[in-house]
Amino acid sequence: MRPSPHPSVTRNVLLSVFAITGLVLAYFVARFNFLTDDAYILFRYSKNFAEGFGLVYNPGTEPPVEGYSEFLWAVLLGAVEWLHLDVTVWSRVLTIAGSFLTLFLVLDFARCKFNLGIPALVATGFFFAANPTVGVWSTSGLSSSLFVLAIFVYFSALFLDEDNPRGVVAGLAGVATSMMRADGPYWVVCIGVVALLGSLWRRKHQKGTVPVPGLFASGPFRTAVLQTVGILAVCGGIFLAWRLHVYGDYLPNTARAKVGMTALSLERGIKYLLSYWVMLPVIPAVFFLGIVAMAARLLRGSRAALGARDAATLTVAATFAYGVLVGGDFMAMGRFFLPAAPFLALIFGVLIETTIKARPSLAIALFSIGILTNAQPSYGQHLVPKSVRERLHFRWTSPTYSTEYSYWSGMSNRCQKWADIGRALKLHAKPTDSLVLVPIGAIGYYSGMVIYDSMGLTNREVLEASEPGTNRSSPGHDRLVPMQFFDRYEPTYRQAKILPKWTKPAEYAAFQADPGVQLIELKEEQGFEPGAILMLRKW
């Protein structure tokens, strides 16, 4: 049975709180509206899929390489491309919608499951909406917000009514989670295990013994488990068989290219987590308060232990552990920790509700501190001194530390620059021409050229010739081969860049004198800056 909400929080009140907190979310989404270069890798797969080449990066590659991590997103964007819609726009429309829907579901869950009153419900919404990780990754062109939405629907199906979970909904949401991103099964398993442990705990405190899972008495919970597991097994089996048939591997190439369990990657992952915590100190504070509350319930032998509140805390813990285990992520604002955002908001809302009953003035202070410190990094401001943050620098390829806001800005600007190079190549290079690149996204998408990837996302041979975690590199950049590795393919070009009009005369003269360099003037009416020159260095 669906739990009853707090009597003061009617449906209209819920919608009002959603509208108010939605305005905050809209502000931060607009502030961080951008595209990342990695999204263009997926766009190229989707475009080739829509044009009948299949989910491939370089059409004609045999066997094809799964150089993307977001299968379901690639298929959805393939439909966008097939409809001749602008994928750079509609990818963001869909993910923004995903963040707003997640916000609504979080508020509804907090209202019904935790019986939060209006102030605590507002705190829950603000904590989610003002989180810079949510603001940044509501756009980007990646499926991040939809991935979080799928995780939360799965969680809600299992924990809104713990004794009578919605098995079919959980199964379908688990499939969406697993197919939206290659690491989705991690969250499906973690949340599912917590649901199972919670059921065992409740049975213990009803009957005095802990039965093994195989001895579950028939009832709604076992029915839901069978439904969930059945849907996941059938759909997962079909998907795995398809992946093996098409790509010849049970893992995407991105997992092998970006993840390597070594001592260096573990050190980097720990710094990634600690860096996130010092950027947003309110996050570990809320998390550890959730841990303390869970421990207290367990020690008391409360039947409520390992229920929805503790499951939210454990989901946050699993998300933090994931970021450490995979060695972190080079992208801005803690992208790998985004799945924790809705659950942290729930924990914060419960904390405010509990404090209101004891000391209302303290609740107001906690609310103000929580929201303000949550929003600070969106403006490049931090509570923790720079000297501390510098010690936790984890992007080892970059010699100097930068704030997450500055790094986000750089990501956005670099992507636009690479998009301009791709558009220039589309005008002045042939589709059969080839180029060796590290940033293969926007240049590859707009140019349509054959691209050889130095990082190994779309080239299996790179993985065979390199080892992960053997040097201090940024997350996701462990594999890199020298340019001469690609001599065997005889590429057309080794470098493409746009020279701005303020290029130094001596540098420009050196390019003119180099017989291996081709200089092409770009026209302002084609969308390029006045005086811009495309420089192509032949192989």
Side-chain angles (χ1 to χ4, degrees), residues 352-362:
I352 295 297
E353 180 77 6
T354 304
T355 310
I356 285 174
K357 295 175 181 177
R359 295 183 62 184
S361 59
L362 178 60

Side-chain angles (χ1 to χ4, degrees), residues 436-493:
V436 177
L437 287 173
V438 172
I440 66 171
I443 295 176
Y445 176 77
Y446 283 113
S447 71
M449 296 168 63
V450 176
I451 303 295
Y452 297 114
D453 175 19
S454 297
M455 302 300 300
L457 294 181
T458 60
N459 301 79
R460 283 195 179 95
E461 296 83 358
V462 170
L463 304 191
E464 296 167 0
S466 60
E467 292 292 332
T470 55
N471 55 66
R472 299 180 72 83
S473 57
S474 294
H477 293 70
D478 291 326
R479 308 273 198 165
L480 181 64
V481 292
M483 294 290 280
Q484 57 265 30
F485 174 85
F486 296 97
D487 282 339
R488 69 189 78 176
Y489 302 112
E490 299 182 351
T492 311
Y493 302 108

